Amino acid sequence: MKAVINIAILPAIGLFLLLSAQVRAEEHQHERSSCRVCGMYIDQYQKSAAELVYKDGKKEYTCGVACMLREVEDAGGISAFASVKVHDWVSGQLIDAEEATYVVGSKVIPDMVPNYIAFAKRDEAEAFAAKEGGDVIDFNIAYQDISPVGTTAPFRIRTAVTPGKGNFSVGMVYGYTEKDRVKVGSASSKTPGDFIGANKAQPRAPSKLEGHQQALIMNYSPTDDLALFINVPWLERRTHTLTQTTTPAGSTFGETIGNENGIGDITLEGRYNVWRSTRWDKFVSVLLGTTLPTGQFSATRALDPISGKQLVTTGPALQLGKDTATFTGGLLYSQRWKDFWLHTSALYTANPKNDDNYAFGDVAAVGLALHYTPNYDLMFGVEVDASYTEKSIDNGVKIGNSGGTVTNLAFVGDYRFLNAFGGNFKLRGSVGLPIYEDLNSKDVVNPRGQPFQQVQLGDGFFANLAVQWTFRSAPDY
């Protein structure tokens, strides 16, 4: 079996990890201060930046109030510091953080989310909130309300949180999927060998599917309410099929292997935040997406080994793309409770018929993720997603052994391992498996009147590893 970490992505991950020491040395040499928490350059956020002085005289800076509160919490409270100061939004002067008044949830996002903005005078804070919206609060309320991480991002579903205008991230993802058991309906799975050996009329059965995916992903927010996403995948897929030939002398078994390598269909998505709470702890967004038909699709159908006729109901086998644009829409909801994030989604994907008169089945999917953030460098979580896929249609005929219901369970985590280049790098990973499957199959009778089944593979596992850099350009306020 191919190694789980594909050699094509190892150099890139290694390069990201090796940057750490070099970048820290360069930043020390040039003495350009960056946010202790998120890595953004302080000189780009002078209106919102905070200054923290530890009791031993050590100074730290954050891009704004939210990151300042996270560092105070990580240090065990305000008593760990000789002084903590923030910039007054009106005068630009440094003021004591505990004495300041704050506005959160306004239309203005000067640095991070939640968008706490500091004021030296309460009446100026109230005037600002009256114009731009938001709640007026004091330091203690802000400190009790802050979470270690502004937002978290699920792996297999999408977040309803849009991070603010100018937010940009780029990453490289490696994914591996393996399926190696025959699944008929929701019954217990069988090994492919046991399945094909139990019926002498069974001419073939899938025995293993291996999928490797490398992808370049990018996220960008052109406005505070809109976030755009692109995924450019490179796919490597291999299928193993067991074959059985029955003669009067007995049965003989063989194996065929199919390979498909190349670019897959490019995914484009947009998330628009239609509502969020003033405390930035509840979000509702709509998602609209499409795929571009950049992956190869071959319409070559299988032939009946006895009659030589085309088997319409088997359909094209291994594919890199769908040969048509697809369309996805749905709703996203995210909510935070201090150190925990909940993300939920409900999506529907329509797969139109392509030029070869083939249509992959439409997909209805729901997802739920629960993430725990013990500090601003770590996240651990569990994610569950369930999907119902309709049967694919080939030349107007539904393919019996396609579609079905699958529920997956995944364990996820990410680690912020480096602040650099005005942003931060995260190492993200997940591993999971299907916990419930009800896959369609089809009963078939061969020309000799002998029954057999066309089936699908299930069980197995999946894993993902990603390195991602996130940056936000300073807004012009």
Side-chain angles (χ1 to χ4, degrees), residues 187-205:
S188 299
S189 58
K190 297 181 180 179
T191 65
D194 289 344
F195 173 77
I196 195 172
N199 182 6
K200 292 184 178 181
Q202 189 74 37
R204 69 189 65 82

Side-chain angles (χ1 to χ4, degrees), residues 153-159 161-163 167-173 213 215-222 225-233 265-272 286-292 328 332 347 428 466-468:
F155 239 111
R156 296 175 64 85
I157 62 178
R158 307 296 286 165
T159 173
V161 181
T162 51
N167 188 274
F168 172 78
S169 68
V170 60
M172 297 184 67
V173 182
Q213 175 176 310
L216 173 68
I217 58 172
M218 288 182 285
N219 291 272
Y220 177 66
S221 297
D225 298 320
L226 178 65
L228 305 177
F229 169 79
I230 181 171
N231 178 306
V232 184
D265 288 349
I266 295 174
T267 300
L268 304 174
E269 286 180 0
R271 291 174 292 128
Y272 184 77
V286 295
L287 180 147
L288 295 175
T290 186
T291 60
L292 306 180
T328 299
L332 309 172
L347 304 174
R428 309 185 64 222
V467 176
Q468 190 167 358

Side-chain angles (χ1 to χ4, degrees), residues 210-330:
E210 297 173 281
H212 300 263
Q213 175 176 310
Q214 291 88 197
L216 173 68
I217 58 172
M218 288 182 285
N219 291 272
Y220 177 66
S221 297
T223 73
D224 290 336
D225 298 320
L226 178 65
L228 305 177
F229 169 79
I230 181 171
N231 178 306
V232 184
W234 177 269
L235 307 177
E236 300 174 27
R237 294 177 177 173
R238 175 179 295 182
T239 56
H240 300 250
T241 303
L242 291 179
T243 59
Q244 178 176 218
T245 303
T246 302
T247 65
S251 297
T252 58
F253 298 90
E255 183 181 51
T256 60
I257 299 176
N259 288 287
E260 288 288 351
N261 302 322
I263 190 171
D265 288 349
I266 295 174
T267 300
L268 304 174
E269 286 180 0
R271 291 174 292 128
Y272 184 77
N273 181 234
V274 295
W275 176 84
R276 61 171 176 255
S277 64
T278 56
R279 299 296 178 89
W280 291 84
D281 58 357
K282 301 178 185 69
F283 302 81
V284 177
S285 295
V286 295
L287 180 147
L288 295 175
T290 186
T291 60
L292 306 180
T294 50
Q296 180 181 351
F297 178 92
S298 174
T300 302
R301 273 80 171 186
L303 299 178
D304 188 302
I306 296 176
S307 67
K309 295 181 179 180
Q310 189 179 85
L311 292 173
V312 173
T313 54
T314 63
L318 198 61
Q319 303 295 335
L320 297 175
K322 297 181 178 178
D323 200 33
T324 183
T326 69
F327 305 95
T328 299

